[in-house]
C-alpha cells in the first residue's frame, strides 16, 4: 500500500482567499482592465471633456462594427478555424457603400443604398460560406488533413 503525501506548497497554493485565487487565475484579464482604467484616467486628466457621457456613447457607436465583426469571428474560432477573409469582405462592402451612396455615377438615396449595401454584404458572406461548406475550403490559414 502506498500513501501519497500532499506537498505543503500545493496546499498553500490551493488555499487562500477567493480574491487571491481569482487574481492568480486571471492575471492577464486584470492587467488589461487596469490598463483600460489607467488610459481612461489619463484622458480624463488631459482632456476634460472626455468624461462626458456623450463621448462614451460616441466611442461605443463608432466601434460597434468591430463588435459585430468580432462576434462573427468568434463562431469561426470556436469551431476550430480562423477566417482571414472577414476584413477583406468588410473592406469590399465599405467600398461598395461608397459606390452606391456617394459615387459620382450612382448616388442613390440613403435608404436604397443601405438596402443594396446590406444585400451585397450578405452576398459576400454567402459566397464565403458556400466556399467553406460546399467546396470544402478551410476557413483558416491551416490545412486540414
Amino acid at each position: 500500500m502506498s500513501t501519497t503525501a500532499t506537498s505543503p506548497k500545493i496546499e498553500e497554493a490551493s488555499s487562500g482567499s477567493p480574491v487571491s485565487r481569482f487574481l492568480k487565475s486571471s492575471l492577464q484579464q486584470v492587467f488589461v482592465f487596469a490598463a483600460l482604467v489607467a488610459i481612461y484616467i489619463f484622458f480624463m486628466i488631459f482632456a476634460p471633456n472626455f468624461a462626458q457621457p456623450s463621448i462614451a456613447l460616441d466611442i461605443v457607436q463608432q466601434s460597434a462594427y468591430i463588435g459585430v465583426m468580432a462576434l462573427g469571428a468568434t463562431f469561426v474560432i470556436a469551431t476550430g478555424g480562423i477566417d482571414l477573409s472577414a476584413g477583406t469582405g468588410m473592406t469590399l462592402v465599405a467600398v461598395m457603400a461608397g459606390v452606391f451612396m456617394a459615387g459620382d455615377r450612382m448616388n442613390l438615396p440613403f435608404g436604397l443604398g443601405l438596402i443594396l449595401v446590406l444585400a451585397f454584404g450578405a452576398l459576400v458572406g454567402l459566397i464565403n460560406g458556400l466556399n467553406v461548406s460546399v467546396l470544402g475550403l478551410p476557413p483558416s490559414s491551416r490545412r486540414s488533413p
Side-chain angles (χ1 to χ4, degrees):
M1 288 189 186
S2 67
T3 57
T4 57
T6 307
S7 167
K9 290 182 181 179
I10 294 174
E11 288 179 6
E12 288 175 15
S14 63
S15 65
S17 71
V19 173
S20 66
R21 284 195 309 261
F22 171 76
L23 289 176
K24 289 178 185 177
S25 67
S26 57
L27 195 58
Q28 183 178 8
Q29 288 88 1
V30 170
F31 280 137
V32 169
F33 183 72
L36 179 66
V37 169
I39 291 169
Y40 189 76
I41 290 172
F42 174 82
F43 281 107
M44 281 179 54
I45 292 170
F46 293 106
N49 293 334
F50 185 75
Q52 295 178 354
S54 63
I55 300 296
L57 182 63
D58 286 344
I59 291 171
V60 169
Q61 287 176 339
Q62 291 175 6
S63 61
Y65 71 93
I66 295 173
V68 171
M69 295 286 293
L71 182 65
T74 300
F75 293 122
V76 174
I77 292 171
T79 59
I82 295 180
D83 190 358
L84 300 175
S85 66
T88 306
M90 181 182 71
T91 304
L92 177 62
V93 172
V95 167
M96 292 309 295
V99 168
F100 290 147
M101 293 189 277
D104 292 336
R105 296 183 187 183
M106 297 188 90
N107 202 13
L108 298 172
F110 181 76
L112 179 60
L114 184 63
I115 291 170
L116 286 175
V117 167
L118 291 174
F120 189 78
L123 178 67
V124 169
L126 177 69
I127 291 170
N128 196 12
L130 289 175
N131 283 337
V132 172
S133 63
V134 175
L135 298 178
L137 296 175
S140 66
S141 59
R142 64 172 168 75
R143 298 285 176 228
S144 50

